[in-house]
């Protein structure tokens, strides 16, 4: 296996890790409006992800940085062609981070309510747009002979990509609901399990349609295996949720995300960005990659740094592993910190 193939796999792993981890905190952000009935309950939901949301975003930074260094042609075409949706995602991530930090700095009702609106919308919009973006990457976009995107924003809003957006939105919301049930006690936990059932059923229907569409158009034997694993894991997650086994449900909802994203990368390889105008104009792991020397240096850096980052993040989750509920929120907590 060549180094550019190795880095394609590593970038796929980084995106899988990002969607697994950021997926549930996007979902929790959406649930602040769908599940929480009052301010203490919203506080509980925010506190479940307060210690970890910023660490989850490290995976996105790593994926973007690795793409820039390993496949500069891919990075340039992706960020120029998808400029507006990626800019919107970036703005949402910035506002969302500010909302987490500033929501509880003042006790006024309007102040906290406005930041809670920001958390909801800035979780929902990226959860949807990431699916749209990856749907277009897999489907192929209008690249010319110079590997430049020559389409418009409306070309990105095609039925396949929009379906992909609905899949990521519902799947992340289900992932977040299961995580909420895992991390809370009392009435919130019970309502989270109930909501997870209905959102999970919607996600299952949408995901099955999207993955079958992907398999029919671009799939092979490997992607078919990933499709079966994704669907089976989602079914097990739903059953475990109904049985009150939140840990198993969360684990298998994570497996669903891992297998579904892996399937997209399996159908994409050896392309990194197919051209819908001419197959010969597609960006591949070969014509989009950096020099072998650059990839060699990056590989050594990854070998050293990656285990450290993963150990630290695992330790963070272990420290903040306990369940919480409204009884852990002080009566005057409206003015307290989020984590």
């Amino acid at each position: 296996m060549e180094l550019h193939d190795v880095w394609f796999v590593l970038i796929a792993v980084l995106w899988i890790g990002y969607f697994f981890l950021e997926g549930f905190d996007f979902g929790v952000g959406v649930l602040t409006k769908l599940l929480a009935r009052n301010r203490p309950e919203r506080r509980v939901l925010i506190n479940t992800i307060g210690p970890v949301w910023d660490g989850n975003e490290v995976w996105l930074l790593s994926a973007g940085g690795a793409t820039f260094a390993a496949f500069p042609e891919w990075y340039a075409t992706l960020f120029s062609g998808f400029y507006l949706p990626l800019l919107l995602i970036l703005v949402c991530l910035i506002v969302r981070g500010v909302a987490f930090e500033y929501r509880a700095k003042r006790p006024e009702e309007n102040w906290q309510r406005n930041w809670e609106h920001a958390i909801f919308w800035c979780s929902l919009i990226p959860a949807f747009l990431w699916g749209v973006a990856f749907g277009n990457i897999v489907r192929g976009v209008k690249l010319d002979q110079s590997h430049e995107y020559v389409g418009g924003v409306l070309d990105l809003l095609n039925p396949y990509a929009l379906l992909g957006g609905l899949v990521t939105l519902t799947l992340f919301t289900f992932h977040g609901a299961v995580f909420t049930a895992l991390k809370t006690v009392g009435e919130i936990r019970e309502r989270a399990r109930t909501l997870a059932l209905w959102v999970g059923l919607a996600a299952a229907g949408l995901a099955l349609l999207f993955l079958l569409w992907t398999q029919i158009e671009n799939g092979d034997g490997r992607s078919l295996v990933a499709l079966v694993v994704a669907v089976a894991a989602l079914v097990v997650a739903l059953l475990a949720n109904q049985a009150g086994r939140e840990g198993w449900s969360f684990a298998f909802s994570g497996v669903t995300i891992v297998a579904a994203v892996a399937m997209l990368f399996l159908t994409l390889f050896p392309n990194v960005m197919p051209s819908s105008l001419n197959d010969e104009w597609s960006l591949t792991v070969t014509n989009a990659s950096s020099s072998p020397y650059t990839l060699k240096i990056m590989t050594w850096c990854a070998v050293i740094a990656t285990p450290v980052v993963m150990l630290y993040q695992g330790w963070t989750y272990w420290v903040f592993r306990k369940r919480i509920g409204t009884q852990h929120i002080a009566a005057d907590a409206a003015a307290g910190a989020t984590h």
Side-chain angles (χ1 to χ4, degrees):
M1 180 181 286
E2 300 290 338
L3 277 179
H4 51 65
D5 298 330
V6 172
W7 273 97
F8 179 87
V9 174
L10 291 177
I11 289 171
V13 170
L14 290 171
W15 279 110
I16 288 170
Y18 174 66
F19 286 142
F20 178 94
L21 296 171
E22 189 87 309
F24 73 74
D25 70 50
F26 280 149
V28 172
V30 173
L31 293 176
T32 57
K33 294 293 184 185
L34 301 183
L35 181 66
R37 293 178 175 174
N38 50 47
R39 180 139 293 118
E41 289 190 354
R42 283 191 286 275
R43 172 77 185 275
V44 169
L45 292 181
I46 293 171
N47 282 3
T48 63
I49 59 174
V52 298
W53 69 266
D54 47 358
N56 294 344
E57 291 187 355
V58 171
W59 291 79
L60 173 61
L61 298 176
S62 300
T67 304
F68 172 77
F71 298 100
E73 286 281 349
W74 184 14
Y75 182 93
T77 301
L78 177 63
F79 279 78
S80 60
F82 292 18
Y83 181 82
L84 286 178
L86 291 179
L87 176 62
L88 183 56
I89 289 174
L90 178 61
V91 170
C92 284
L93 294 180
I94 293 171
V95 173
R96 184 171 178 265
V98 173
F100 281 134
E101 298 298 334
Y102 278 81
R103 169 193 165 275
K105 296 300 183 183
R106 290 169 55 181
E108 290 88 348
E109 179 81 13
N110 287 340
W111 173 271
Q112 295 196 4
R113 183 172 58 249
N114 289 337
W115 285 122
E116 288 165 1
H117 288 322
I119 291 171
F120 171 75
W121 288 108
C122 292
S123 299
L124 185 149
I125 292 171
F128 175 75
L129 288 181
W130 279 127
V132 173
F134 270 83
N136 278 291
I137 291 173
V138 172
R139 173 179 176 267
V141 293
K142 295 180 179 179
L143 301 184
D144 64 12
Q145 193 169 5
S146 301
H147 306 307
E148 294 183 2
Y149 181 67
V150 293
V153 175
L154 293 180
D155 292 316
L156 303 178
L157 303 179
N158 55 80
Y160 177 80
L162 292 174
L163 178 59
L166 292 175
V167 169
T168 52
L169 176 58
T170 54
L171 196 55
F172 290 171
T173 304
F174 171 68
H175 199 38
V178 171
F179 179 79
T180 299
L182 177 64
K183 287 289 291 178
T184 58
V185 295
E187 189 180 349
I188 298 179
R189 177 186 178 189
E190 297 303 320
R191 279 191 275 119
R193 285 174 52 197
T194 301
L195 183 61
L197 171 63
W198 296 110
V199 176
L201 290 173
L206 292 169
L208 181 60
L209 178 59
F210 179 74
L211 295 179
L212 284 175
W213 191 344
T214 304
Q215 177 67 25
I216 291 170
E217 291 203 348
N218 302 299
D220 56 16
R222 296 173 302 173
S223 61
L224 180 60
V225 171
L227 186 157
V228 172
V229 171
V231 173
L234 186 52
V235 171
V236 174
L238 286 167
L239 294 174
N241 174 71
Q242 286 303 100
R245 303 298 298 271
E246 291 96 348
W248 286 107
S249 184
F250 179 73
F252 278 98
S253 69
V255 171
T256 301
I257 293 174
V258 170
V261 179
M263 179 187 174
L264 297 183
F265 277 95
L266 286 170
T267 58
L268 188 60
F269 186 82
N271 294 320
V272 294
M273 206 161 184
S275 172
S276 60
L277 300 178
N278 190 324
D279 288 341
E280 296 181 357
W281 298 347
S282 298
L283 282 169
T284 68
V285 293
T286 304
N287 63 25
S289 69
S290 295
S291 67
Y293 183 69
T294 300
L295 296 177
K296 185 177 181 180
I297 293 176
M298 290 176 60
T299 303
W300 280 110
C301 292
V303 168
I304 296 170
T306 302
V308 177
V309 174
M310 295 185 71
L311 284 172
Y312 172 77
Q313 193 163 22
W315 175 79
T316 302
Y317 278 92
W318 175 256
V319 169
F320 295 100
R321 66 189 182 278
K322 292 184 178 179
R323 295 176 182 266
I324 61 174
T326 53
Q327 65 270 29
H328 300 114
I329 305 298
D332 59 350
T338 59
H339 59 278

